[in-house]
């Protein structure tokens, strides 16, 4: 009896879900289209009804991931409430929470080598997520005198790089395996040091 490749209720999303599991376990180059098809319980030829190949499938994972990421960041930011600093810190925590809760999406978005401009859909989704980071950074850095204020894009990039580094080094696997601190504590203290260096926090502030 043939598999459900031509009668699947939602073949495209079934392949996405299968690929999310595989990419989280093996990385972006660690699975084949045939393996994704097998996990989705469809024929080996069925994926090509929706995707030209593995890269095209990973791009779809990244698009969906950035849309979800933007939703998470927007919810965390809440229009800068209750203060620009609190909202900024909430965005940082949301970054870590997203990476932990959606490892397959995260790998596709940030570790697959995809350009965020690879397709129009990916560019739109990534820009939407980045806009939240830029808004949070801009609202907070507005408190710095203009002649001492870093470009908003640089401010946001520094915090994104810090967040990504903590995800890579300390948020994978068992908590506490590589450091006696939680990823959240590491990020909070790192952001605190960065903000104090910019004059946005007093030295005695936590």
């Amino acid at each position: 009896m043939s598999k459900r490749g031509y009668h699947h209720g939602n073949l495209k999303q079934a392949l996405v879900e299968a690929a999310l599991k595989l990419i989280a376990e093996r990385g972006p180059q660690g699975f084949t289209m045939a393996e994704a098809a097998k996990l989705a319980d469809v024929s080996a030829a069925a994926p090509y009804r929706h995707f030209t190949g593995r890269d095209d499938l990973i791009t779809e994972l990244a698009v969906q991931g950035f849309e979800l990421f933007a939703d998470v960041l927007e919810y965390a930011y809440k229009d800068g409430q209750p203060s620009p600093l609190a909202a900024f810190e909430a965005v940082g925590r949301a970054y870590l929470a997203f990476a932990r809760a959606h490892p397959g999406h995260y790998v596709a978005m940030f570790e697959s080598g995809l350009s965020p401009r690879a397709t129009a859909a990916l560019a739109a989704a990534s820009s939407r997520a980045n806009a939240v980071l830029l808004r949070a950074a801009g609202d907070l850095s507005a408190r710095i005198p203009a002649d001492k204020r870093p470009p908003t894009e640089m401010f946001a990039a520094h915090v994104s790089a810090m967040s990504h580094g903590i995800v890579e080094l300390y948020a994978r696997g068992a908590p506490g395996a590589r450091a006696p601190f939680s990823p959240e504590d590491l990020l909070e203290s790192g952001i605190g040091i960065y903000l104090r260096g910019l004059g946005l926090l007093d030295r005695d502030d936590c």
Side-chain angles (χ1 to χ4, degrees):
M1 182 175 179
S2 64
K3 291 187 177 181
R4 296 179 294 157
Y6 299 102
H7 305 286
H8 203 289
N10 191 347
L11 172 59
K12 183 177 181 179
Q13 194 58 33
L15 291 166
V16 165
E17 296 299 328
L20 284 172
K21 295 178 182 178
L22 292 169
I23 199 173
E25 294 172 358
R26 306 181 190 177
Q29 306 303 322
F31 72 97
T32 65
M33 290 291 280
E35 289 173 319
K38 182 177 181 180
L39 188 58
D41 192 27
V42 297
S43 70
Y48 297 96
R49 295 169 61 87
H50 292 284
F51 303 104
T52 59
R54 183 176 60 190
D55 288 348
D56 194 25
L57 176 53
I58 291 174
T59 299
E60 179 62 23
L61 305 187
V63 170
Q64 293 188 16
F66 273 114
E67 291 287 2
L68 181 58
F69 189 43
D71 289 342
V72 169
L73 295 182
E74 287 173 351
Y75 181 80
Y77 187 61
K78 294 180 181 176
D79 294 323
Q81 298 299 322
S83 71
L85 176 58
F88 188 82
E89 291 174 336
V91 167
R93 290 191 295 272
Y95 192 113
L96 297 184
F98 175 85
R100 184 180 288 115
H102 304 281
H105 285 116
Y106 189 88
V107 170
M109 293 157 60
F110 298 115
E111 299 174 16
S112 65
L114 277 177
S115 166
R117 304 293 172 188
T119 68
L122 184 56
S126 62
S127 293
R128 181 177 158 231
N130 193 51
V132 184
L133 297 172
L134 289 173
R135 190 159 71 248
D139 287 351
L140 187 56
S141 64
R143 299 164 56 188
I144 304 172
D147 61 334
K148 298 180 180 179
R149 186 186 309 156
T152 301
E153 292 80 1
M154 182 181 289
F155 192 131
H158 285 162
V159 175
S160 293
M162 189 187 308
S163 301
H164 185 69
I166 289 172
V167 168
E168 290 300 300
L169 292 174
Y170 303 111
R172 306 285 199 198
R178 298 185 184 179
F181 314 102
S182 72
E184 289 76 14
D185 286 346
L186 288 169
L187 182 61
E188 182 178 350
S189 62
I191 288 177
I193 291 168
Y194 180 75
L195 296 181
R196 279 193 289 274
L198 292 174
L200 283 168
L201 289 180
D202 294 332
R203 291 190 177 277
D204 294 334
D205 288 337
C206 297

